[in-house]
Amino acid sequence: MVDESDPAVAGREGQARGHLWQARFADGPAETLRALSDSLVFDIRLFREDIAGSRAHVTMLASVGLLTPAERDKIVKALDRVEKEIDSGILEFIDSDEDIHTVVERRVIEIAGAAGAKLHAGRSRNDQIVADMRLWTRGAIDDIIGLIRGLQRTVLSKAEAAGEAYLPGYTHMQQAQPVTLAHHLLAHGWALQRDIERLADARSRVDVSPLGAGALAGSSLPLDPEMTADLLGFGAVFENSLDAVSDRDFVAETLFVLTLLGVHLSRIGEELVIWSTSEFGFVEFDDSFVTGSSMMPQKKNPDVAELVRGKSGRLIGNLAGLLATLKGLPLAYNKDLQEDKEPLFDTVDNARLSLLALDGLLASCRFLTKRMAEAAASPEAAATDLAEWLVEQGMPFREAHALVAEAVRRSIDENVPLVDLVESDPQLGPVAAALVEPGMSVSRRSTRGGAGPAAVRDQIERFRV
Ligand code: ARG
């Protein structure tokens, strides 16, 4: 497949098959160096981006006169072929293929001969890897935004289906005031909305081309960095070559945003675990989203919710690890930067999986709204409403709070139903007693953004857009 007829290649064949930088050294690299530094096992995932970057680079080289149109076409054809070979798994790696850039260039030289040997003019793997990573991250962000939207649609449809169902709202994990189920679900929906906004914002800083920065200082060749940026659909071009090759803010930022997303998903997972206990019994999962026990025949375990919760721990680890890698690095490129890939890939993979699994779990679950209403039926849940009703009658809030608190205490100490005490209290009486009826309290939460059915109907309209 090597273009042997081409004397330039015949002479350099050994070089093309050795390490790109081999000519500088008398001896080959040690086994242990290879084991430590070769990155092909994980950066092979960047092959499409790497090849797209090379296509743009040679198109630019031809436009500034560093390649003839024929050379350009030959290289582009070779790149197309290498992409197909990697995609279909037929490309065989050789010993000197240390990373994705090396594989593609080695194979292009084998296919395109002397023209192929011109591919790397005016660039370094240092700007090349950042371009690959930025393209890959941009795609991953778009993909994850789509998956978050999917989960939001599920949250919305569950909220709509919940109607006026209500459950206890909690603070300190103690029953506080009843809230509608739709309101509770949408609380998570809004957190997801902020995740989308943060991703979109981070994307604008990911979307910057580093091509043309070279190893660290730019180039003496008449390159056109704006052209490569345009060809790759980047929104901007780097301003400083040192910064361009050493900046991994975009990775750290993406990791942070995805980690916060993971934390949000973890909190949903945690609630679903609690809600699915026999003690709560607020939710039942579909059989396809639970697991059994190898020993206890009765078990129905919420593994999906637990793993979504558990995954967030490793996302936090990936973020903390990358920040630690970056903190001591002088300008410009250092090989430490190779350590950005595995955490990014791992975080994106696990965020994606968590989103899909949680979406499936939620879409297929059944909320046990009768149980929820029973749990929220305790008259004490209306204590705040009683105090607010007294405020409406003109009583200062502090006084009202104390009066109701005392009624609650007496009801517990003397084992008398709260409703009886309210009814017989001269300041409260039968009108106030009606507020203690189950379901009354939640229906009165009518302020904007509040938990009552009317306010939630408006909220749903705002969430929909
Ligand atoms: N695999 C390297 C990385 O991920 C690519 C850049 C290599 N540059 C170098 N000067 N060795 O960072």
Side-chain angles (χ1 to χ4, degrees), residues 46-58:
L46 300 170
F47 80 95
R48 286 184 207 287
E49 290 75 15
D50 198 73
I51 289 171
S54 289
R55 269 193 210 103
H57 182 66
V58 294

Side-chain angles (χ1 to χ4, degrees), residues 300-315:
K300 186 169 169 183
N301 295 328
D303 290 28
V304 171
E306 291 170 301
L307 278 170
V308 166
R309 187 178 61 188
K311 292 284 187 195
S312 65
R314 78 195 249 179
L315 302 199

Side-chain angles (χ1 to χ4, degrees), residues 39 43 99 101 125-126 129 248 333 335 337-338 341:
S39 54
D43 66 22
D99 56 26
H101 324 297
R125 284 182 293 167
N126 297 353
I129 188 61
R248 294 295 183 282
Y333 179 82
K335 191 71 177 242
L337 292 171
Q338 181 165 288
K341 274 152 221 73

Side-chain angles (χ1 to χ4, degrees), residues 89-251:
I90 61 166
L91 198 156
E92 278 181 30
F93 301 129
I94 62 171
D95 190 50
S96 58
D97 290 339
E98 57 175 306
D99 56 26
I100 182 60
H101 324 297
T102 319
V103 174
V104 173
E105 189 180 344
R106 186 261 299 171
R107 195 69 195 109
V108 165
I109 292 173
E110 284 174 357
I111 298 167
K118 295 187 168 186
L119 164 63
H120 207 56
R123 76 175 185 188
S124 154
R125 284 182 293 167
N126 297 353
D127 57 350
Q128 205 182 344
I129 188 61
V130 186
D132 293 4
M133 286 286 277
R134 285 179 177 277
L135 290 172
W136 191 91
T137 306
R138 191 175 72 181
I141 287 177
D142 293 344
D143 187 34
I144 289 197
I145 288 179
L147 294 178
I148 301 176
R149 291 223 166 94
L151 179 57
Q152 281 185 311
R153 278 193 292 277
T154 300
V155 167
L156 177 63
S157 74
K158 285 287 181 184
E160 285 171 334
E164 303 200 352
Y166 59 92
L167 72 160
Y170 297 82
T171 62
H172 312 268
M173 203 57 210
Q174 307 289 317
Q175 287 197 7
Q177 296 178 328
V179 295
T180 47
L181 174 57
H183 192 58
H184 190 114
L185 293 172
L186 286 175
H188 293 302
W190 291 109
L192 293 172
Q193 185 57 30
R194 293 192 295 277
D195 292 326
I196 290 178
E197 287 164 15
R198 264 186 290 270
L199 279 169
D201 188 52
R203 190 190 192 282
S204 66
R205 282 175 294 280
V206 170
D207 197 21
V208 180
S209 176
L211 290 175
L216 75 164
S219 178
S220 61
L221 297 170
L223 306 179
D224 182 352
E226 280 175 358
M227 182 175 181
T228 33
D230 278 350
L231 289 169
L232 291 166
F234 277 116
V237 190
F238 72 96
E239 293 293 351
N240 178 307
S241 61
L242 290 170
D243 184 39
V245 293
S246 59
D247 169 21
R248 294 295 183 282
D249 293 4
F250 71 99
V251 182

